[in-house]
């Protein structure tokens, strides 16, 4: 029926007005008893709260943080682990955090006054951390990783799985054959016993204490403080048998790490959750484009011949695969590079799908990559490692912004786990009487003087070293920066740099440092008209010549 006559258009406009009126009436009924139900209030609020024709199906509802974790955490975690194994974009995102936040490790610097004792403590730490020859990775319960390898694994678990439980094992479990009575064990999210939660109550009760257990975490009924964690002894669905019955690990022996986003949240969600679908679909799109291009590249020639020429199936498929069909009974063909199609007169090869690669595919892929980077609070440059699309200024601005994200994660690891590791390490060394450490009584009398520590985080190379060095020199003269801050930005210790500089200076002796004595050719100023044969003239001191 034609709809271009005046009567039809008037009817449609009237029908649209009736629908809008019905939507307004429904919104008023939904907010009855509120100020919105009073005459004159409708339309004066937030557009985001309107219940119109376009937003009627957008009603997320209210759900508690732990019920939300109960519904989706496991599925998200399994999907992210699959992306970590198979998706290049997800791997690039994870590695961007690991190489910038951890790199070669976040190292401690004891703040005790005695320089000799400080050096002995640093040597003891390096032996325990497994980074010197002859050490046996005593920091790791399984003795497979250095401490800085454990730092990388901790951050990886926080990003991918949403959290990790770090258990501090003492001599009662690791035995007496180690250098230090402390070994760390990482418990992934899959081993935390969360299946005992009751769907109706959201918690189950601990056998002896009667405390509620939410998502495998035993909580204090009054304060909500974490009292213990119920952990499976073995990994889920792994070689070696059943994971066993959950065991209780007191909170004083461990530390759970997770970047929580909701008040009252007990367990974490993967940091990649906002980009899971976009990353998976982008990977599928790229795979489809690659497969389509590969399929089209199989055809080399088409030879037209007489009616008795072999058909496509007998030419392209071997004897074992002539009758290959899919689940729906459709005949499948296999091709190999350089395939030649012998067709009958009039036959043709029909392409399936669009031409590949599509001319507009690159901007579309870049747009999706930018959306993924925004979901991770990273720049698209850091995610894609493609610097061809940016200039120097934008690349520098992006790097400076990304470093704020990385510094935030570095501070989180220092505050939530590394300071605790330092406390347990110093206390363990005091208990066993390691050389250079105070007695137990001296430590108990004033523990703060022995527990003070600064952590040296990985630094970054400057983007513009000449300009940055000049700026740092000016700030040093003004007193607005210190040498320690300059060295810390590069990830080095300024005292070690100073000692090395003094050593090199003593080696060169009176001759001086060759780097300082080397001649530096400076280009003449563009505004100067001086040459090598004619020195510059200062109009304030030199008398004017005859040509003046």
């Amino acid at each position: 029926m034609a709809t271009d006559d005046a009567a039809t258009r008037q009817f449609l406009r009237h029908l649209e007005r009736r629908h809008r009126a019905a939507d307004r009436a429904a919104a008023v009924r939904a907010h009855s008893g509120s100020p919105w139900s009073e005459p004159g209030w409708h339309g004066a609020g937030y557009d985001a709260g309107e219940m119109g024709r376009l937003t009627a199906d957008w009603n997320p509802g209210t759900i508690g943080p732990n019920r939300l974790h109960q519904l989706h955490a496991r599925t998200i975690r399994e999907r992210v682990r699959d992306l970590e194994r198979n998706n290049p974009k997800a791997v690039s995102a994870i590695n961007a955090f690991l190489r910038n936040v951890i790199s070669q490790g976040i190292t401690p610097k004891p703040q005790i006054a005695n320089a000799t004792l400080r050096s002995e403590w640093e040597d003891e730490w390096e032996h325990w951390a497994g980074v010197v020859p002859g050490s046996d990775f005593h920091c790791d319960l399984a003795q497979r990783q250095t401490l800085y390898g454990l730092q990388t694994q901790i951050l990886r678990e926080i990003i991918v799985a949403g959290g990790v439980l770090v258990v501090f094992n003492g001599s009662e479990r690791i035995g007496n054959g180690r250098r230090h009575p402390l070994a760390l064990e990482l418990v992934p999210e899959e081993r935390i016993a969360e299946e005992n939660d009751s769907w109706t109550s959201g918690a189950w009760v601990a056998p002896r204490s009667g405390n509620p257990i939410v998502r495998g975490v035993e909580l204090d009924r009054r304060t909500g403080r974490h009292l213990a964690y119920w952990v499976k002894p073995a990994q889920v669905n792994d070689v070696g048998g059943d994971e066993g019955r959950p065991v209780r690990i007191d909170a004083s022996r461990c530390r759970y790490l997770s970047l929580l986003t909701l008040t009252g949240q007990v367990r974490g969600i993967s940091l990649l959750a906002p980009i899971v679908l976009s990353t998976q679909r982008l990977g599928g799109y790229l795979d489809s484009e690659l497969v389509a291009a590969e399929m089209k590249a199989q055809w080399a020639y088409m030879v037209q011949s007489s009616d008795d020429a072999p058909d496509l199936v007998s030419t392209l498929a071997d004897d074992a695969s002539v009758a290959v069909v899919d689940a729906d009974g459709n005949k499948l063909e296999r091709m190999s590079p350089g395939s030649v199609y012998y067709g009958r007169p009039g036959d043709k090869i029909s392409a399936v799908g669009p031409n590949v690669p599509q001319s507009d595919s690159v901007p579309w892929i870049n747009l999706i990559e930018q959306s993924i980077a925004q979901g991770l609070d990273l720049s698209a440059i850091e995610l894609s490692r493609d610097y061809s699309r940016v200039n120097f200024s934008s690349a520098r601005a992006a790097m400076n912004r990304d470093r704020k994200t990385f510094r935030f994660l570095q501070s989180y690891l220092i505050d939530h786990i590394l300071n605790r590791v330092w406390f347990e390490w110093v206390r363990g060394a005091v208990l066993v009487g390691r050389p250079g450490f105070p007695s137990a009584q001296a430590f108990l009398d004033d523990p703060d003087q022995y527990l003070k520590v600064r952590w040296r985080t990985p630094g970054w190379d400057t983007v513009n070293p000449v300009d940055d060095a000049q700026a740092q020199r000016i700030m040093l003269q003004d007193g607005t920066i210190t040498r320690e801050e300059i060295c810390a930005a590069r990830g080095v210790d300024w005292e070690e740099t100073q000692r090395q500089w003094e050593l090199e200076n003593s080696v060169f002796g009176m001759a001086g440092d060759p780097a300082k004595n080397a001649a530096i050719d400076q280009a003449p100023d563009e505004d100067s008209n001086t040459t090598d044969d004619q020195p510059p003239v200062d109009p304030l001191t030199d008398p004017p010549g005859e040509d003046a």
Side-chain angles (χ1 to χ4, degrees):
M1 181 179 64
T3 58
D4 54 350
D5 57 283
T8 302
R9 291 196 299 270
Q10 182 178 2
F11 171 77
L12 293 176
R13 286 195 297 269
H14 178 69
L15 185 62
E16 178 67 18
R17 287 195 296 269
R18 291 187 58 183
H19 278 291
R20 292 179 180 177
D23 290 340
R24 289 195 296 269
V28 171
R29 287 194 300 270
H31 296 88
S32 59
S34 68
W36 303 106
S37 61
E38 300 295 330
W41 280 85
H42 182 73
Y46 292 102
D47 291 341
E50 290 291 331
M51 298 294 292
R53 176 172 55 87
L54 300 179
T55 58
D57 58 344
W58 187 14
N59 188 22
T62 301
I63 185 171
N66 299 310
R67 179 59 61 85
L68 192 64
H69 186 280
Q70 190 179 48
L71 290 176
H72 297 302
R74 178 175 178 177
T75 301
I76 293 174
R77 182 171 64 239
E78 292 172 347
R79 289 176 176 176
V80 173
R81 290 206 185 277
D82 179 71
L83 293 176
E84 181 188 18
R85 292 188 293 265
N86 300 296
N87 190 286
K89 298 299 180 183
V91 173
S92 177
I94 297 170
N95 289 338
F97 287 105
L98 298 182
R99 68 173 170 264
N100 285 280
V101 177
I102 303 297
S103 185
Q104 296 178 334
I106 303 177
T107 59
K109 182 180 179 180
Q111 297 300 294
I112 53 179
N114 191 310
T116 303
L117 291 180
R118 184 166 64 246
S119 179
E120 292 180 358
W121 283 35
E122 291 175 351
D123 292 342
E124 182 73 17
W125 174 274
E126 291 179 352
H127 277 87
W128 176 75
V131 294
V132 296
S135 58
D136 294 325
F137 307 144
H138 291 166
C139 60
D140 183 10
L141 181 65
Q143 292 187 263
R144 289 196 295 264
Q145 295 194 76
T146 67
L147 178 67
Y148 308 120
L150 293 176
Q151 290 179 4
T152 301
Q153 193 63 26
I154 287 173
L155 181 59
R156 179 184 294 273
E157 288 294 324
I158 293 175
I159 296 172
V160 174
V164 62
L165 184 67
V166 182
V167 181
F168 308 103
N169 295 282
S171 56
E172 69 280 357
R173 183 174 182 189
I174 65 177
N176 298 322
R178 301 207 183 194
R179 182 186 184 96
H180 194 283
L182 174 65
L184 306 181
E185 178 187 8
L186 305 187
V187 178
E189 285 280 345
E190 287 84 352
R191 283 182 55 192
I192 300 179
E194 59 188 23
E195 67 277 1
N196 292 314
D197 286 350
S198 171
W199 179 262
T200 56
S201 62
W204 68 294
V205 179
R208 297 182 180 179
S209 64
N211 295 316
I213 298 180
V214 178
R215 312 305 295 144
V217 182
E218 184 176 337
L219 304 175
D220 183 88
R221 191 179 297 275
R222 295 182 297 107
T223 63
R225 182 171 60 92
H226 291 203
L227 298 177
Y229 300 87
W230 290 81
V231 176
K232 300 173 184 178
Q235 183 61 275
V236 178
N237 194 23
D238 199 7
V239 177
D242 186 64
E243 60 265 18
R245 293 179 57 83
V247 297
R248 185 181 187 273
I249 300 179
D250 193 83
S252 62
R253 292 185 49 234
C254 58
R255 176 66 61 86
Y256 178 73
L257 301 175
S258 178
L259 290 173
L260 304 179
T261 58
L262 299 174
T263 303
Q265 186 177 348
V266 172
R267 299 265 302 281
I269 300 288
S270 171
L271 298 185
L272 303 186
I275 66 161
V276 167
L277 295 182
S278 298
T279 306
Q280 190 267 342
R281 289 167 180 169
L282 177 60
Y285 170 76
L286 295 176
D287 289 343
S288 299
E289 288 281 4
L290 182 61
V291 171
E294 182 182 12
M295 290 283 293
K296 294 180 181 298
Q298 305 291 339
W299 298 104
Y301 300 99
M302 177 177 177
V303 180
Q304 293 200 11
S305 58
S306 61
D307 292 342
D308 57 352
D311 59 9
L312 180 63
V313 174
S314 61
T315 303
L316 299 181
D318 52 29
D319 295 339
S321 60
V322 171
V324 175
V325 296
D326 62 10
D328 298 323
N330 298 316
K331 186 180 296 184
L332 302 177
E333 312 295 350
R334 290 193 176 98
M335 293 181 294
S336 59
S339 297
V340 178
Y341 169 36
Y342 287 87
R344 298 183 179 88
D347 289 352
K348 63 179 181 178
I349 300 176
S350 299
V352 179
N355 294 326
V356 290
Q358 299 184 60
S359 59
D360 58 347
S361 61
V362 174
W364 177 246
I365 293 173
N366 293 339
L367 180 63
I368 300 176
E369 287 182 347
Q370 184 175 358
S371 176
I372 294 173
Q374 290 171 345
L376 295 172
D377 197 20
L378 292 178
S379 64
I381 305 173
E382 187 65 43
L383 179 65
S384 65
R385 316 296 295 164
D386 180 10
Y387 296 93
S388 62
R389 294 177 288 165
V390 296
N391 54 30
F392 175 82
S393 299
S394 59
R396 182 169 184 170
M399 290 179 182
N400 290 334
R401 176 60 185 85
D402 289 337
R403 289 172 183 178
K404 292 183 178 181
T405 300
F406 302 140
R407 289 192 182 100
F408 165 76
L409 292 175
Q410 290 172 346
S411 299
Y412 174 84
L413 293 176
I414 291 173
D415 296 337
H416 288 78
I417 185 60
L418 296 182
N419 284 335
R420 173 69 183 277
V421 171
W422 179 258
F423 169 78
E424 298 289 345
W425 180 79
V426 173
R427 186 178 66 169
V430 169
L431 291 176
V432 298
R434 294 297 302 172
F437 287 81
S439 64
Q441 187 60 47
F443 177 77
L444 293 176
D445 291 340
D446 189 8
D448 292 340
Q449 67 170 320
Y450 303 107
L451 295 177
K452 292 181 180 179
V453 62
R454 288 186 180 180
W455 294 92
R456 184 172 60 206
T457 58
W460 299 276
D461 294 332
T462 176
V463 181
N464 193 353
V466 175
D467 291 346
D468 290 344
Q470 293 176 351
Q472 292 167 357
R473 186 178 299 109
I474 294 174
M475 288 188 289
L476 278 174
Q477 295 173 353
D478 295 341
T480 56
I481 198 173
T482 64
R483 288 176 173 82
E484 182 179 12
E485 293 175 316
I486 295 175
C487 292
R490 295 173 46 237
V492 298
D493 182 30
W494 79 276
E495 290 184 343
E496 295 179 1
T497 303
Q498 180 69 16
R499 287 195 295 267
Q500 183 64 27
W501 182 85
E502 293 175 353
L503 175 62
E504 294 179 1
N505 192 46
S506 65
V507 171
F508 294 123
M510 297 299 296
D513 190 346
K516 290 186 176 181
N517 297 334
I520 301 178
D521 296 333
Q522 296 182 356
D525 190 355
E526 295 179 357
D527 297 333
S528 176
N529 296 323
T530 62
T531 63
D532 294 339
D533 298 330
Q534 179 181 2
V537 177
D538 188 347
L540 298 180
T541 59
D542 296 340
E546 297 180 356
D547 297 334

